Amino acid sequence: MDRSTNLDIEELKMTREQYILATQQNNLPRTENAQLYPVGIYGWRKRCLYFFVLLLLVTMIVNLAMTIWILKVMNFTVDSPLVLQSDRNVTVNARNHMGQLTGQLTIGADAVEAQCKRFEVRASEDGRVLFSADEDEITIGAEKLKVTGTEGAVFGHSVETPHIRAEPSQDLRLESPTRSLIMEAPRGVQVSAAAGDFKATCRKELHLQSTEGEIFLNAETIKLGNLPTGSFSSSSPSSSSSRQTVYELCVCPNGKLYLSPAGVGSTCQSSSNICLWS
């Protein structure tokens, strides 16, 4: 009996739940005839959106046209170099990470100015320094320095170089138009002409002086031109100035040279008129 009673109670529960579900379904509103609301942008909002899109498109076209015009005017091409033009000058500045000016290059109508700690010009092939300048010195690393001006190069102070050489088939000339030309060396000065003459010309006096050594002249023939001829009196009847062809080289006490007619003995006299009047 207890078992049948439990079954009846469970059937009643199931019937009650089915009834509740059926009642809830009947009470739900039907959506077949419900009103539909459209979703989107309409009216003045839609017109404003189209206006802003059109304005953005026009701005993009104008920017593209300006960019193309700038590239054409400035000659920005792959093959041609970069060209910067200005009515006054072109200035390029270099700054560090703190914004401080470290270098400046200014190209103007009258001059090109560079302000930096060190200025260098390097070769494009091997990168060696051709020209460098800083506060202490200027270095020229080119194989040849050529000055083509008519006045040459003017240096206010000394110039140090181990070698001075003229161009092939050209003369080398050292000249001081208004002052003296001095060549000094503690270990000697050597002047040689391997295939030509060596000439020393002056207006007044030419001095050859050796304080501790000697003056050595070594040649097959040594000529001393325009030497004065001193007078010499001799009692020999065979002496005749018209037939005199051999002379003796004499030296006065003051070092002056003169010629004296050669005789059997020496004809040099310290009391010669050449020595007395020199």
Side-chain angles (χ1 to χ4, degrees):
M1 180 176 181
D2 293 333
R3 184 177 180 181
S4 61
T5 303
N6 292 331
L7 292 173
D8 294 337
I9 292 172
E10 291 178 0
E11 291 176 358
L12 289 173
K13 287 182 178 180
M14 294 178 62
T15 305
R16 184 179 178 183
E17 291 176 358
Q18 292 176 357
Y19 176 77
I20 293 173
L21 291 174
T23 305
Q24 289 179 354
Q25 291 177 359
N26 293 330
N27 293 330
L28 290 175
R30 297 179 179 271
T31 60
E32 290 141 0
N33 298 327
Q35 186 177 2
L36 299 177
Y37 294 94
V39 179
I41 301 175
Y42 299 94
W44 65 271
R45 294 184 180 86
K46 185 176 182 180
R47 289 191 293 271
C48 289
L49 179 61
Y50 286 163
F51 173 76
F52 284 118
V53 172
L54 182 60
L55 181 62
L56 180 60
L57 182 60
V58 172
T59 305
M60 292 176 60
I61 294 174
V62 172
N63 288 337
L64 181 60
M66 290 293 294
T67 303
I68 296 174
W69 178 77
I70 292 174
L71 292 177
K72 184 178 180 181
V73 172
M74 302 300 292
N75 295 328
F76 284 102
T77 59
V78 178
D79 299 330
S80 63
L82 176 63
V83 179
L84 300 177
Q85 296 181 354
S86 175
D87 295 338
R88 294 185 178 180
N89 56 44
V90 176
T91 302
V92 180
N93 295 330
R95 300 181 182 273
N96 56 13
H97 64 281
M98 301 179 61
Q100 298 176 351
L101 185 65
T102 57
Q104 185 179 70
L105 178 64
T106 303
I107 303 175
D110 299 330
V112 177
E113 298 180 358
Q115 298 181 4
C116 54
K117 292 184 178 179
R118 183 177 178 85
F119 180 77
E120 292 184 353
V121 177
R122 294 181 175 271
S124 58
E125 297 180 356
D126 51 3
R128 59 191 179 90
V129 179
L130 300 178
F131 177 85
S132 65
D134 54 19
E135 189 177 359
D136 297 330
E137 65 179 4
I138 296 177
T139 304
I140 299 176
E143 295 181 357
K144 181 187 296 184
L145 175 62
K146 189 173 184 179
V147 181
T148 59
T150 56
E151 298 296 331
V154 179
F155 300 94
H157 298 283
S158 61
V159 178
E160 297 181 4
T161 177
H163 191 192
I164 300 177
R165 182 181 62 185
E167 292 184 353
S169 302
Q170 298 293 330
D171 296 333
L172 177 63
R173 184 174 183 178
L174 302 178
E175 181 183 3
S176 178
T178 59
R179 293 294 184 270
S180 302
L181 179 62
I182 300 175
M183 300 177 62
E184 296 181 354
R187 300 184 61 180
V189 176
Q190 181 178 357
V191 181
S192 62
D197 299 335
F198 173 75
K199 297 180 180 180
T201 306
C202 61
R203 182 178 180 181
K204 293 184 178 180
E205 296 179 354
L206 177 63
H207 295 272
L208 298 177
Q209 181 180 0
S210 177
T211 57
E212 296 182 0
E214 59 184 11
I215 298 176
F216 181 70
L217 300 177
N218 183 13
E220 294 181 358
T221 303
I222 298 177
K223 294 182 179 181
L224 301 176
N226 298 327
L227 290 179
T229 302
S231 60
F232 173 73
S233 59
S234 176
S235 60
S236 175
S238 61
S239 175
S240 176
S241 60
S242 60
R243 298 191 305 268
Q244 185 69 38
T245 58
V246 180
Y247 292 88
E248 182 180 1
L249 180 63
C250 303
V251 182
C252 297
N254 58 1
K256 188 174 183 178
L257 300 178
Y258 71 95
L259 298 178
S260 179
V264 179
S266 176
T267 60
C268 296
Q269 298 177 356
S270 60
S271 61
S272 174
N273 58 339
I274 303 297
C275 298
L276 295 176
W277 293 100
S278 60

